[in-house]
Amino acid sequence: MSRVITIGAAQLGPIQKDHTREEVVGRLIDLLRTAAKSSCDLVVFPELALTTFFPRWFVDDITEMDHYYETEMPSAVTQPLFDEAKRLGVGFCLGYAELTSDGHRFNTQILVEKDGSVVAKYRKVHIPGHEHNEPNRPFQHAERYYFEPSMEGFGVWKAFDARVGMMICNDRRWPESYRVMGLQGVELILCGYNTPIHYVPDPSQDILQGFHNALVMQSGAYQNGSWVVGVAKGGNEEGVDSLGQSMIVAPSGQIVAQALTTDDELIVARCDMDWCERYTGTLFDFEKYRRPEVYGRITSQRGVIKD
Ligand code: CDT
């Protein structure tokens, strides 16, 4: 019997500064209901799906941004999303900024089962951008100021009758993210993102944002024989244009569904987890073909060493 999960990638359009959490949760619930009508088992929302992408602003006192972080999940304001998911029998994956009780700040994503229970939490490993204010930029990307990198790494959890892993935005550009999960037998990787079109350090990359987005997720899926679901918060948010192009990628590397807009939009695909084995059992049979004895530099070294 095949293991098909009907997955909805619930892309969001922009969330402006003055949009309330209640309004945003209302949009998430609308998408969840649309997904239920399409018989989805699982709905994937973007990175930082409850607020605007606040790392585009720098403040000297980080606590001025505390209102963008969640101190509990579910909270009073997000509980209706959990309740509706349970009522509909649809699981979901949600990205948000997390502030722990002992003061740590993470860029976090959770996986919630169809009964509304949180089955997994992932905290972003690769934190892009910069630590300090760079006033000459048109906008900041100060994720390295607002979030610390996770030391927990990439886990794989048994959920939805599959082996599920998570990554967040910039993680998708690093082959190591996929491979660490591949080595745990991942079958489904869920990834929310916020990707500004304008890349300030090298604007020649601006027109390539869509190409690079597809390139990394398609190759990550294929090289690890896994489904990859990439979900954007797109559109013009507080004057900054962000990429849409949410997509569902098969273990073959083929895109099986892709968003057409940069707004709230649900795309759906029936994803057969047994399809992974066609790749992990043949060309990418890791046990048979990998050569870890010559890959030592991957974990022993961070930057380039030119002898
Ligand atoms: N959110 C996030 O990780 N965005 C980055 C932007 C490029 S680095 C400034 C990304 O990799 O898409």
Side-chain angles (χ1 to χ4, degrees):
M1 222 178 70
S2 65
R3 289 180 297 132
V4 174
I5 310 176
T6 302
I7 300 177
Q11 178 174 283
L12 289 177
I15 300 175
Q16 309 301 353
K17 206 175 184 173
D18 61 356
H19 290 173
T20 66
R21 290 274 210 300
E22 286 80 1
E23 286 170 329
V24 175
V25 169
R27 285 164 63 184
L28 303 183
I29 289 174
D30 284 348
L31 286 159
L32 202 66
R33 289 181 179 150
T34 307
K37 286 188 191 126
S38 297
S39 305
C40 286
D41 301 294
L42 169 63
V43 173
V44 184
F45 295 114
E47 174 193 34
L48 301 180
L50 296 172
T51 67
T52 199
F53 189 79
F54 61 90
R56 74 168 64 87
W57 297 295
F58 195 90
V59 290
D60 288 327
D61 178 2
I62 199 169
T63 63
E64 282 176 32
M65 296 300 216
D66 279 0
H67 60 285
Y68 285 120
Y69 293 78
E70 311 301 316
T71 53
E72 53 181 353
M73 187 59 66
S75 58
V77 72
T78 52
Q79 187 64 53
L81 176 67
F82 285 72
D83 292 344
E84 189 63 0
K86 184 176 178 180
R87 190 184 74 78
L88 295 167
V90 180
F92 66 90
C93 177
L94 177 74
Y96 62 92
E98 177 189 11
L99 176 56
T100 67
S101 54
D102 54 350
H104 294 281
R105 295 167 192 274
F106 296 106
N107 190 336
T108 296
Q109 201 169 269
I110 49 166
L111 181 63
V112 178
E113 260 287 5
K114 292 176 171 194
D115 64 0
S117 61
V118 177
V119 289
K121 178 186 275 191
Y122 166 74
R123 290 165 170 159
K124 190 171 182 175
V125 167
H126 299 98
I127 310 291
H130 49 101
E131 292 84 354
H132 306 292
N133 193 21
E134 297 189 4
N136 291 332
R137 284 172 166 258
F139 56 89
Q140 306 291 305
H141 197 108
E143 274 197 71
R144 293 174 73 86
Y145 176 63
Y146 288 111
F147 301 115
E148 60 185 270
S150 159
M151 293 302 291
E152 299 153 349
F154 297 97
V156 170
W157 294 268
K158 194 94 186 68
F160 299 88
D161 196 22
R163 298 186 64 78
V164 186
M166 291 187 275
M167 58 168 75
I168 300 177
C169 196
N170 191 259
D171 290 325
R172 76 195 189 288
R173 301 186 193 272
W174 300 92
E176 294 87 347
S177 312
Y178 303 86
R179 183 50 53 92
V180 169
M181 289 188 264
L183 287 167
Q184 299 170 76
V186 75
E187 295 171 317
L188 173 61
I189 297 173
L190 311 176
C191 177
Y193 61 90
N194 284 258
T195 296
I197 303 281
H198 182 38
Y199 183 58
V200 179
D202 177 17
S204 76
Q205 296 181 28
D206 294 3
I207 57 164
L208 300 173
Q209 288 292 358
F211 167 64
H212 289 155
N213 182 50
L215 178 72
V216 292
M217 292 197 286
Q218 289 184 262
S219 53
Y222 169 63
Q223 291 170 344
N224 295 278
S226 177
W227 290 88
V228 173
V229 181
V231 187
K233 173 142 63 64
N236 190 290
E237 203 178 74
E238 298 293 342
V240 178
D241 273 316
S242 286
L243 187 71
Q245 300 188 12
S246 299
M247 61 180 71
I248 300 176
V249 184
S252 60
Q254 292 168 289
I255 298 171
V256 297
Q258 184 165 13
L260 297 174
T261 73
T262 52
D263 221 324
D264 291 10
E265 180 182 345
L266 183 83
I267 57 169
V268 177
R270 284 170 48 80
C271 305
D272 184 353
M273 296 300 120
D274 287 341
W275 204 6
C276 301
E277 225 270 331
R278 293 178 189 227
Y279 291 87
T280 58
T282 58
L283 199 66
F284 295 111
D285 180 340
F286 288 174
E287 183 60 39
K288 186 166 179 184
Y289 297 116
R290 287 185 76 250
R291 296 285 315 286
E293 58 277 22
V294 297
Y295 302 156
R297 283 181 190 267
I298 298 284
T299 54
S300 65
Q301 183 178 322
R302 186 198 304 256
V304 175
I305 297 176
K306 296 178 181 171
D307 297 324

